[in-house]
Amino acid sequence: MKKLHLDPSKPPVFDGISLRIAQGETCGLCGPGASGKSLLLKIICGLIRPEAGTVAVAGQDLGAASPSELRSIQSQIGYLFQNNALFDSMTVQENVAFPLRQRVRLGQEALDEPQILDRVSESLRGVGLATHAAKMPSQLSGGQRKRVALARAVVTRPPLLIYDEPTAGLDPVTTAKIYDLLRAEQKLTKSTTLIVSSDIDALRRFADRMLMVYRGTLCYDGPSADMDDSASPVVRQFVRGELEGPL
Amino acid sequence: MKSDQRKNSWVASLRSQARQLSQIAMLVCVGALRARRPKGELLRQLYQVGNRSLLFVLVTLGFTGMVLVFQSCLQLSRVTGDLSQVGGEFIKYLVHEFGPSLTAMMLATRVGAGIAAEIGSMVVTEQVDALRMCGVEPVEYLLVPRFLATLMMTLLLAVFGVLSAVMMGAFTAHQTFHVPYSVFLDLSKVRLTDVLTGCVKALSYGAAIPIVSGFCGLSTHGGSEGVGWATTRAVVSSSFAVIVLDFLISALALLSWQSM
């Protein structure tokens, strides 16, 4: 990706980010607040198009894809949104079944209704919410909503999973539960996983490879374990949480 | 120099919005022709737009009919004293002009605001992005059922609105100016062209309101404040669209029917 402006009168949000994520890799994406982490995720899955440059998923250029091709690519990405983005008008079960039903409609899966409901039950059991299937999202707690969103993201067993702040605002126990679920999912499906989190310690324990964005560029791309000894003072300050430094 | 730049950016923004609006309108029209729609959603929207607006439309048009007839009778009784033509002219005016337009203005406030607020809040809570990530085209999924429901219900509600205004007008004329019901309810002045013009207007308004409101909802940004702005913009823009369409269709109808 070459450049992305959200406001033409201001400097570009991203300038010259080049990134390649291999199949089956687990990447953690971090950076200071408002550095564009969520924006980068949305660019990767084609929700926002950069002004210049290329974004390809599984070899398919998102910029060159027709609207129907783009929808087909997007339906193969499991996305856990920062605010969960559960559909208010649907029950928990309908929310989780929705991506599956759409894949059936697009001809990407051949499942009948009982099979869809089985997959939904299995997915809800996985996140410990099998008894909440008939509830509306507004009847659930923040942690439960996050788990429903996780069940919806993984129910289609997508080859690429993107998690945007999966533990934001959750207590430590629920955070640990969510990371356990993410690990279990990763183990089961071997999906490529990209995760954004402000909880840098938990993120480093989860991801094999860490990326850090700062002022529109990628200032760290390497193993999680080597982040402490990075040559960049920005990365070191961020990881150590120090008050003194360039940040 | 600065004012030139501001003018250019305003023109560019207007052009971009017009392009987006026409794209949405095209997607809605194409989507409406396809049979693929979420199960039961059209019925739900028909209920939301039709049943839930019925009382509002009946009461508004009923009271407006009463006021219009009262004022017309009052002025005519002062000038000529002959009230035999009031009913016929009132019904003719209601059918081709007033009934569909006032019904649509009412729907622009109730249904247009509802569509913009619902879609706008889905945008700011990322539900529209979630739809896209499930391989769904949001315009087709969210707007097409609302478009079809508003299209059908505007026509139907306009019919009920006209009936309500006529009945309340007849009641007012009878009670205050002793105009017999048989004299007031004179349909001889209503021609087929008046009915056709009224129907074309109702259908055009029914198409414009969900498209304009949906566009306002989909272009929401900035959280709950943005939803408020989108709702206001939807009501203002839909009402404006109704007035402009009213003028255009009236002018076209006048030219077409006169030449026939």
Side-chain angles (χ1 to χ4, degrees), chain B residues 51-86:
Chain B
N51 296 36
R52 293 203 145 184
S53 307
L54 184 62
L55 186 65
F56 180 49
V57 168
L58 289 181
V59 171
T60 313
L61 267 94
F63 274 100
T64 316
M66 285 166 80
V67 172
L68 275 178
V69 168
F70 181 81
Q71 288 295 334
S72 307
C73 288
L74 191 66
Q75 300 307 322
L76 271 174
S77 62
R78 280 178 187 163
V79 180
T80 64
D82 177 17
L83 301 179
S84 62
Q85 305 295 309
V86 172

Side-chain angles (χ1 to χ4, degrees), chain B residues 2 12 14 26 32 48 50 87 97 141 163 172 175 217 220 238 250:
Chain B
K2 250 187 176 175
L14 201 68
M26 209 157 74
Q48 290 287 339
E97 173 65 58
Y141 185 82
L163 288 175
T172 308
Q175 291 297 315
T220 304
S238 305
S250 294

Side-chain angles (χ1 to χ4, degrees), chain B residues 178-193:
Chain B
H178 310 291
V179 180
Y181 286 113
S182 56
V183 173
F184 188 91
L185 297 171
D186 172 19
L187 297 178
S188 63
K189 287 197 162 41
V190 183
R191 289 173 302 165
L192 181 64
T193 52

Side-chain angles (χ1 to χ4, degrees), chain A residues 42 71 74-75 81 83 85-88 90 98 102 105, chain B residues 36 125-127 129-137 141:
Chain A
K42 288 191 175 177
R71 280 203 295 276
Q74 285 172 331
S75 71
F81 286 87
N83 300 315
L86 295 176
F87 304 120
D88 302 327
M90 296 182 194
F98 190 80
Q102 293 310 312
R105 192 178 64 83
Chain B
R36 254 179 10 201
T125 55
E126 296 181 310
Q127 290 178 59
D129 282 342
L131 281 176
R132 288 198 179 98
M133 292 311 298
C134 293
V136 175
E137 170 50 63
Y141 185 82

